Every structure is written in structure tokens, then in C-alpha cells.
């Protein structure tokens, strides 16, 4: 079987990290297994055509087996209301393809120094499951600004949306090894249930779902306290489920604790579609300088292989995902090609070459 991969490089560092990932995926499986279809989209495309996500790109994504994306967004490319155009590319894909679970693993890799003293690889290894289709971002484009005096956006929590993401988080916890601290399978609900009814409802629905998972410990944290816990005791966490905005914020914090935005992958999954991209944005401050760390997108590529492997029962892909991860770990462990993001010398190209060399040796 072969797989069509809708590939949107996007803006800023997007093309650099996408090209790096496609090269490695090609080397792992060859063009007969993965067929990359390069598609237009992003803030640069909007500047030329007035469209951030052309209808043909959306259709190709819908028809593909998986979607690989670099990043989208350029400073100053905004709508009249001041919001950024680039974000609309993945928001439209999220809503259009119903990608409700945004899976963001936070793992300290070998050879990477955490800014948190005392933490070694193995002690930070949890997954944030960010609800991806509702919450405060559901109001995107529909907020109200009245007489230039007041503005409001609505927070939307539905039973259906919460149930499915809570179930996803519990099932994910079951497949993992548990929290590094004590090996316990644990799902932490991150909310602000003490202040807003919508978050209290989110928590209640998560609780109702967890009744079917009595092998998994239930845990709760208000989002403000969570920012402290993720710094002081990250080893306590296994899977965290959070409303859209909160998940967005805590996943950047989590990324910082394991080396930076350039190491943090993500998979946005629905029941039929999956979109894979680094958890970072288009990083315009470092674009075009070969300074981007490609690890986040490379690891997103490995997540894509794993997701396709389980959906299609294709062992070739799960083996390739394992080789892919191992090659990245080995390059980091050897320490000869430290990405510039970690204070090393390796640009995006050199790091990618090192991963390809490593694959050639194993
Ligand atoms: P978005 O809102 O679209 O997620 P953002 O505004 O949060 O984007 P990013 O583009 O993620 O911002 O960049 C935040 C910081 O992290 C910038 O200083 C950027 O250079 C850095 N950064 C992001 N991705 C990488 C990467 N792959 N390699 C190195 N540095 C990165």
C-alpha cells in the first residue's frame, strides 16, 4: 500500500523544516510508500492571491492519507480586525476536518539540557492533549467589537467535544508507561473550574468519561497552578487534557522545559484525518538563515508514521517510525551536531544530514 501525504510547507521556517522532514521520510520508506503532494497555502500565498487555504489544498488534504505541515504566518499579514492571517490555515483545517485532539508530547530527549536543574532524559515525559475545535478559539472570526468601546469573544464547551477529547486522553494514557515519577497512569484535567461555569462543566464531563477508565488515576489542576507544577514537578505527569486556549499556552511552557519550541512535535487528530506539524509557529525572526531546529517537525513526521501504521495495520511504518526516533536520539546523544537552538553550531541542514547519515549506518 502507498500513502498520499498532503504537504503544505507554508511560511517562515516552514519550508526549511518541511523539506528536512520529507527528505528523511523519503530515505526511510522511498517514493513507492509515501507520495508527497506539495500544496499552496499560508500568509505568503494570501498576499499573492487573497486566499490562505485554497479550496484545492483543502480538497487535497481531505483526500489524502495524512497531512504534513511546516508552519504558517508572517508578521504584518493581518486581517482588518488585526488578527493574523497565517493562523487561519491550520484553524480552517482543524475545523474543516474536525481534528479535535491536538496531541503534544513533551519529552526530554537524550543529549538535551533542560533549563530545569536535576532533570535528565526519562524524567520529563508527558503528553498534553489540547481540545482543538472549541474552547475560546471557537469564536475565531465571530467576536464582537462594539463602538470601539468594548470587545468580547465567547468560550464554547460542548458535551460531545469534551467527551471525545477526554476519552482520547484516557485511551492514550492506557497505551503509555505511566508518569515517570511513579509509573501511574494518570489523566490530569487542566481548567479553571473554580472561576467559570464553562470550565466546571468541562471538568464534570471529563469526570463522567473517566468512570469507564478506573485503571487510570484522575487528577486536576487549575491552569495557573499548572504553570508552576510543570516547572517544579514535571515527572508527575502522564497525560494532561486541557481546553483549547489553555492547552496552547501550557504546551509552549512544556516545550521550553525540554529545550525549546524546535523540539516539540504535534499531531492534530480526528476520527478520519491527521495533520502533523511542529508545535511552533513560523519563527520569522530566524527564517531563511538555516537556523531552525527541525526536530519538532521531524518528530511530527515520526508521529505521522505511527498514526498511519496503526490505522492501516502497516508494520513497515511503525518500524520506520522507531528507526526515525532512534536516529534523532543517537545524533543528539553523540553531541557532534547540536542544533543552534541549544547553543550549538548545527543549522537545519547539517542536523538533517546527520540524521540521514545515522539512518545510513543502522
Ligand atoms: P504561533 O502563534 O504561530 O504558534 P508564535 O508567535 O508562538 O507562533 P513561534 O513562531 O513558535 O512563535 O516562535 C517563538 C520563538 O521560538 C521564536 O523566538 C522562534 O525563533 C523560536 N522558534 C520557534 N520554532 C523554532 C525552531 N524550529 N527552531 C528554533 N527556534 C524556534
Amino acid at each position: 500500500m502507498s500513502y498520499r501525504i498532503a504537504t503544505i510547507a507554508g511560511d517562515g521556517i516552514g519550508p526549511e523544516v518541511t523539506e528536512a522532514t520529507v527528505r528523511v521520510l523519503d530515505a526511510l520508506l522511498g517514493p513507492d510508500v509515501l507520495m508527497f503532494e506539495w500544496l499552496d497555502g499560508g500568509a505568503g500565498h494570501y498576499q499573492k492571491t487573497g486566499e490562505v487555504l485554497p479550496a484545492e489544498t483543502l480538497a487535497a488534504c481531505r483526500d489524502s492519507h495524512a497531512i504534513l505541515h511546516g508552519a504558517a504566518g508572517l508578521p504584518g499579514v493581518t486581517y482588518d480586525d488585526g488578527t493574523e492571517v497565517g493562523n487561519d490555515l491550520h484553524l480552517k483545517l482543524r475545523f474543516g476536518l474536525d481534528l479535535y485532539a491536538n496531541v503534544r508530547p513533551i519529552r526530554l530527549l537524550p543529549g538535551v539540557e533542560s533549563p530545569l536543574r536535576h532533570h535528565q532524559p526519562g524524567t520529563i515525559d508527558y503528553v498534553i492533549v489540547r481540545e482543538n475545535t472549541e474552547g475560546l478559539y471557537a469564536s475565531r472570526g465571530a467576536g464582537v467589537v462594539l463602538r470601539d468601546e468594548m470587545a468580547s469573544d465567547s468560550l464554547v464547551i460542548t458535551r460531545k467535544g469534551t467527551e471525545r477529547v477526554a476519552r482520547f486522553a484516557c485511551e492514550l494514557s492506557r497505551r503509555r508507561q505511566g508518569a515517570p515519577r511513579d509509573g501511574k497512569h494518570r489523566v490530569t484535567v487542566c481548567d479553571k473550574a473554580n472561576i467559570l461555569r464553562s470550565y466546571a462543566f468541562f471538568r464534570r464531563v471529563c469526570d463522567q468519561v473517566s468512570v469507564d477508565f478506573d485503571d487510570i488515576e484522575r487528577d486536576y489542576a487549575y491552569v495557573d497552578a499548572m504553570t508552576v507544577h510543570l516547572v517544579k514537578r514535571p515527572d508527575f505527569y502522564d497525560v494532561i487534557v486541557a481546553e483549547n486556549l489553555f492547552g496552547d499556552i501550557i504546551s509552549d511552557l512544556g516545550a521550553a522545559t525540554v529545550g525549546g519550541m524546535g523540539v516539540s512535535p504535534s499531531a492534530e487528530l480526528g476520527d478520519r484525518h491527521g495533520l502533523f506539524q511542529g508545535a511552533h509557529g513560523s519563527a520569522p525572526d530566524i527564517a531563511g538563515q538555516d537556523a531552525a531546529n527541525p526536530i519538532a517537525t521531524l518528530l511530527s513526521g515520526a508521529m505521522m508514521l505511527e498514526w498511519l501504521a496503526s490505522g492501516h495495520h502497516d508494520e513497515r511504518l511503525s518500524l520506520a517510525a522507531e528507526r526515525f526516533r532512534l536516529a534523532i536520539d543517537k545524533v543528539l546523544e553523540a553531541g557532534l551536531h547540536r542544533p543552534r537552538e541549544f547553543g550549538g553550531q548545527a543549522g537545519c541542514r547539517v542536523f538533517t544530514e546527520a540524521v540521514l547519515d545515522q539512518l545510513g549506518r543502522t
Side-chain angles (χ1 to χ4, degrees), residues 13 17 21 68-70 109 260-267 276-280 292-303 324 328 341 351:
I13 61 170
V17 293
T21 305
L68 181 67
H69 176 42
L109 300 170
M261 294 309 296
V263 288
S264 204
S266 87
F276 301 82
Q277 65 171 122
H280 55 76
N293 185 350
I295 295 175
T297 315
L298 295 175
L299 288 174
S300 306
M303 289 175 85
F324 197 165
I328 294 171
E341 188 181 28
F351 190 86

Side-chain angles (χ1 to χ4, degrees), residues 54-138:
E56 312 82 72
T57 298
L58 177 58
C61 289
R62 209 184 283 281
D63 290 342
S64 67
H65 291 96
I67 305 155
L68 181 67
H69 176 42
L74 289 173
V77 183
T78 56
Y79 296 120
D80 290 344
D81 65 6
T83 61
E84 267 194 37
V85 168
N87 289 320
D88 251 357
L89 180 105
H90 49 257
L91 286 170
K92 282 181 194 292
L93 287 168
R94 281 171 192 168
F95 292 122
L97 303 181
D98 201 20
L99 307 174
Y100 60 84
N102 190 333
V103 184
R104 297 183 157 190
I106 304 291
R107 186 166 74 93
L108 185 57
L109 300 170
V112 178
E113 209 173 296
S114 169
L116 308 181
R117 273 185 307 146
H118 312 310
H119 282 284
Q120 305 301 326
T123 65
I124 306 180
D125 185 355
Y126 59 88
V127 182
I128 295 168
V129 179
R130 162 183 168 189
E131 199 297 316
N132 214 29
T133 53
E134 36 184 74
L136 197 53
Y137 293 169

